[in-house]
Amino acid sequence: EDDEIKATDSLLVVGKVAEDLSSMEVMVYNESDESEYVHHDQLLDTFPLCLEWMDFPVAAEDQQQQQQQSGHGNFIATGGMMPCINIWNLDVIDSMEPVRQLGPTKRSKKKKNRGEGHNDAVLALSWNPIARHLLASASADCTIILWDLRTCTCAQTLTAHNDKVQSLSWHPFEATSLLSGGMDKTVRLYDCRDPEKSTRKWKVSGEVEKVLWNRFQPCQFLVSCDDGFVYCMDVRQDTGKPLYQLSAHSKAVNAICLSPQVEGVLATVSSDKELKIWDIAAAKPTCVMSRNMKMGELLSASFCYDAPFTVAVGGQKQGVRILNLMENAAVRGHFAGRQPKTVEWVTEEAAEEAMEDEGVASASAAAATAAPAAASAAAASKSGGKSSMAKKGKRKKSKR
């Protein structure tokens, strides 16, 4: 019974570092009684820099892939200081090794990247919830790689940036649109059907920490920078100028996230140790709440898909903290009249029709037939880290 995960539970996956020990913890959070505990943990062989949940069932190298691709799974991809990406099955407790590794398993200083993967640290990961077999990775080697999870091979390499690439975000409704942000102070938008000829660029004032699509305004995306600014861009405008910019923090804005159900609720966290909640739905964005979390530098944050005002925050100290923002009087008073909206997920049929209309084979548009069972979320450790929060799962028990 200790291993049972209830239908009302949410999962929070946390990357942690304590002295020289790196690990990944799978935490269970129940909103109704606000309880949380560590379900199981996993030792990692490298400092965790990014985590990404995905439901595409990745097969072990010695298994028949065709037997693994039907249905959905519960997997997490991890990236770190090594150039490889490890994929773990979250339904297996006490796993000795990942299900699969993407790219080289050891850093090679003599060989340059020849299509087999990155040759430096993996800084960001983004799974495509529409074309479910696609995982994008960004690296300190200035490249982005699109991985085909059906074969666990590199499908395409993007080289538009001329410095480290630190953030990625697939469009929530367009399977071929990918955002990236880098230390070269630019944001790139790729049409992955022909990225060499269809890449757009925006310049910002600082090194990009995070890029994020606004699913309530699908033509808009947000960018956070190391100089404390947050920008909102509209892809329909050719001027390259933001719709608005926020002087959000006094130091780097390390993470931004939007409530998946309530429009306009933006959370930002920073190296200045503060969490801020913004309302960006109005013509002029306003700061609703600001709090020093007393967790050192804040490194990561994200909302839970099932609870529109529940956010997880990770910092350098005290690990992870989960907050119900409605307990704050200012947030409660400001957003009390704003009703949650049902998230309309892309169905398999709709995705296939859209991709066929755009001249892309429907096999490339395998979409989830129901809402994805997870969402990116917050976390960190004493020395820093990343994490991912899963939605209330359908699985009753984890398998040993």
Side-chain angles (χ1 to χ4, degrees), residues 218-288:
C219 292
Q220 297 178 13
F221 63 87
L222 298 168
V223 186
S224 70
C225 300
D226 71 338
D227 59 0
F229 280 89
V230 174
Y231 297 89
C232 178
M233 306 291 190
D234 193 316
V235 298
R236 296 167 296 186
Q237 296 187 0
D238 295 327
T239 62
K241 296 181 179 180
L243 292 179
Y244 59 82
Q245 65 183 50
L246 305 174
S247 181
H249 293 270
S250 60
K251 294 184 179 180
V253 184
N254 295 317
I256 54 177
C257 56
L258 289 164
S259 172
Q261 294 186 30
V262 180
E263 184 175 3
V265 183
L266 171 68
T268 62
V269 296
S270 169
S271 295
D272 66 7
K273 307 177 183 180
E274 290 195 344
L275 162 70
K276 292 186 178 182
I277 304 300
W278 305 79
D279 182 1
I280 63 170
K284 185 177 180 180
T286 56
C287 181
V288 179

Side-chain angles (χ1 to χ4, degrees), residues 11-24:
L11 298 184
L12 177 66
V13 183
V14 184
K16 300 189 71 174
V17 176
E19 297 181 351
D20 294 330
L21 183 66
S22 298
S23 64
M24 177 176 66

Side-chain angles (χ1 to χ4, degrees), residues 189-336:
L189 172 60
Y190 310 87
D191 184 337
C192 292
R193 293 167 297 183
D194 191 3
E196 298 298 328
K197 297 181 180 179
S198 56
T199 300
R200 295 183 60 186
K201 181 176 74 171
W202 290 264
K203 292 184 178 181
V204 290
S205 59
E207 297 175 359
V208 176
E209 298 290 342
K210 185 74 174 180
V211 292
L212 178 67
W213 289 102
N214 184 348
R215 64 180 304 108
F216 292 102
Q217 300 291 335
C219 292
Q220 297 178 13
F221 63 87
L222 298 168
V223 186
S224 70
C225 300
D226 71 338
D227 59 0
F229 280 89
V230 174
Y231 297 89
C232 178
M233 306 291 190
D234 193 316
V235 298
R236 296 167 296 186
Q237 296 187 0
D238 295 327
T239 62
K241 296 181 179 180
L243 292 179
Y244 59 82
Q245 65 183 50
L246 305 174
S247 181
H249 293 270
S250 60
K251 294 184 179 180
V253 184
N254 295 317
I256 54 177
C257 56
L258 289 164
S259 172
Q261 294 186 30
V262 180
E263 184 175 3
V265 183
L266 171 68
T268 62
V269 296
S270 169
S271 295
D272 66 7
K273 307 177 183 180
E274 290 195 344
L275 162 70
K276 292 186 178 182
I277 304 300
W278 305 79
D279 182 1
I280 63 170
K284 185 177 180 180
T286 56
C287 181
V288 179
M289 185 196 88
S290 179
R291 177 184 297 179
N292 187 322
M293 298 297 293
K294 302 187 184 304
M295 300 171 66
E297 293 185 19
L298 302 183
L299 305 174
S300 184
S302 192
F303 284 95
C304 176
Y305 264 95
D306 299 291
F309 288 97
T310 297
V311 63
V313 178
Q316 286 185 321
K317 301 177 182 178
Q318 302 182 25
V320 181
R321 189 175 299 172
I322 301 174
L323 293 87
N324 180 357
L325 296 177
M326 277 301 176
E327 294 179 353
N328 179 275
V331 173
R332 186 169 61 250
H334 188 90
F335 294 106

Side-chain angles (χ1 to χ4, degrees), residues 3-78:
D3 294 335
E4 184 176 359
I5 298 176
K6 301 177 182 178
T8 55
D9 289 337
S10 295
L11 298 184
L12 177 66
V13 183
V14 184
K16 300 189 71 174
V17 176
E19 297 181 351
D20 294 330
L21 183 66
S22 298
S23 64
M24 177 176 66
E25 292 183 349
V26 180
M27 299 178 62
V28 174
Y29 172 74
N30 189 287
E31 181 191 7
S32 59
D33 56 14
E34 295 187 347
S35 63
E36 58 186 83
Y37 65 92
V38 177
H39 185 269
H40 63 278
D41 58 8
Q42 178 67 54
L43 291 178
L44 301 177
D45 59 1
T46 184
F47 189 105
L49 296 175
C50 53
L51 306 176
E52 181 73 351
W53 182 90
M54 54 191 184
D55 79 351
F56 187 84
V58 180
E61 195 167 1
D62 58 350
Q63 294 177 333
Q64 293 293 326
Q65 185 70 18
Q66 291 80 2
Q67 297 176 1
Q68 299 294 315
Q69 288 181 359
S70 60
H72 299 260
N74 189 21
F75 294 84
I76 194 102
T78 65

